[in-house]
Amino acid sequence: MKPALAFLLAAATAVALPGCARHDNGPADVPAISPAAARAAAMAASKDPYAPLMAASKDPYAPLMAAVFGDDYLPAQGRAVEGIGADSFQKANATIYRAATSTRLPSGETVLVVTSTATDENGDESPSLADPGRLSIYLLRQQDGRWHVTRRHDEVAQLGRMGEAGGLRWVMLSRNKPGLAVEHHWIGQGYVATRLSLFDPSREKITDLTGEGILIASDSSGACPEATHCWSGTAMWRFEPAAGAYDELVLTIKGEQDDVPDDAPAGTAAAGTRSLAGSARYVFERGSYRLRDGANTLPVI
């Protein structure tokens, strides 16, 4: 007997026969309990409508995903699949969704962040280097023990490469205002660039608060020594309180770049290195974060 079924049968017996002890020499005509009755009894015992769903899935976001995607959510796989068909063309034009992170807003709503990628001709996730990770945000509220979607924000951004949106974490954009920070990467021919994007899930229309992302890391070491310029720099970022809608974003930059004039002939050797150290302060105005003080000294790729 499978462990899950044994658990359900035990739960059902406990509900159907309260106060009864098991006797090995008991009557042989004890009525059998069907799997359907066992499942119903287990749910009644737990008083949790999502108990069977959680038992069938290792996805901690299963109840939220089921509320958002309905029958398209596959709990055993921990993902939702939309638009898939039988032939290779249909399989290659479907979308796979996975829950990435969640938090609770001061309003009492729960935010679910979902990333999605396209499928290949076999219906599997197989993104190419150029394929971004697609980011969607959903707001839900629990009523009478069940989750209900209050707002849907499908595909608010396409970030990163290889179907990965990047590193996600929750931050405070201002006092009592949670936000989502995404550090996403561009990689090509030995060059690497990382940008920071910010999202406020409480907005009626969710967009990237930085516009197209603020550069927080830049590196060309993979292309050197053949490249004309070689550099490596990173920025630590933090928020500082401000009176506006969102706190100010401050970057502290460090790194080095070879000292070759931009108009130097190809192959000119570097005379030395120069520091990329600096700081930059961004404020939120006219709909996005904009540079106000200092300079972002990281080389743009």
Side-chain angles (χ1 to χ4, degrees), residues 215-233:
L215 190 62
I216 58 171
S218 181
D219 192 295
S220 69
S221 58
C224 293
E226 290 80 7
T228 303
H229 292 282
C230 297
W231 69 83
S232 179

Side-chain angles (χ1 to χ4, degrees), residues 105-117:
L105 297 180
S107 65
E109 291 174 299
T110 293
V111 183
L112 177 67
V113 179
V114 173
T115 60
S116 59
T117 58

Side-chain angles (χ1 to χ4, degrees), residues 29-267:
D29 58 347
V30 175
I33 300 175
S34 70
R39 286 193 295 269
M43 287 187 63
S46 67
K47 297 183 180 180
D48 181 358
Y50 296 104
L53 181 64
M54 294 302 295
S57 177
K58 294 182 179 180
D59 180 9
Y61 304 106
L64 300 174
M65 289 289 286
V68 172
F69 295 101
D71 292 339
D72 288 329
Y73 178 63
L74 309 174
Q77 300 179 23
R79 65 182 189 175
V81 182
E82 286 187 343
I84 200 163
D87 60 53
S88 59
F89 176 80
Q90 290 173 317
K91 287 182 179 180
N93 286 273
T95 305
I96 293 176
Y97 300 84
R98 292 187 185 276
T101 184
S102 178
T103 194
R104 187 178 177 88
L105 297 180
S107 65
E109 291 174 299
T110 293
V111 183
L112 177 67
V113 179
V114 173
T115 60
S116 59
T117 58
T119 55
D120 61 15
E121 64 275 9
N122 297 316
D124 299 322
E125 293 173 284
S126 184
S128 67
L129 179 63
D131 289 336
R134 298 172 175 87
L135 198 71
S136 298
I137 297 177
Y138 304 99
L139 273 67
L140 303 95
R141 189 179 293 274
Q142 195 170 29
Q143 296 175 339
D144 300 324
R146 291 190 174 275
W147 289 101
H148 303 273
V149 179
T150 59
R151 273 188 287 165
R152 305 179 67 100
H153 302 278
D154 297 302
E155 204 166 304
V156 298
Q158 296 187 14
L159 307 171
R161 287 293 183 270
M162 286 292 292
E164 297 291 337
L168 283 65
R169 65 174 164 133
W170 294 103
V171 297
M172 295 303 294
L173 296 170
S174 64
R175 182 178 176 83
N176 212 32
K177 189 180 288 291
L180 180 69
V182 185
E183 294 185 356
H184 48 99
H185 314 285
W186 180 92
I187 302 173
Q189 298 181 336
Y191 294 88
V192 180
T194 302
R195 290 183 176 271
L196 171 68
S197 291
L198 300 169
F199 301 90
D200 177 1
S202 68
R203 299 185 76 181
E204 288 295 327
K205 182 178 181 180
I206 299 178
T207 57
D208 187 346
L209 301 179
T210 69
E212 296 182 352
I214 294 174
L215 190 62
I216 58 171
S218 181
D219 192 295
S220 69
S221 58
C224 293
E226 290 80 7
T228 303
H229 292 282
C230 297
W231 69 83
S232 179
T234 59
M236 300 293 293
W237 56 271
R238 68 184 187 278
F239 290 99
E240 291 189 355
Y246 303 106
D247 288 344
E248 296 178 357
L249 178 67
V250 180
L251 272 58
T252 302
I253 304 165
K254 63 179 182 179
E256 289 184 335
Q257 181 175 0
D258 60 16
D259 191 10
V260 177
D262 290 336
D263 57 354

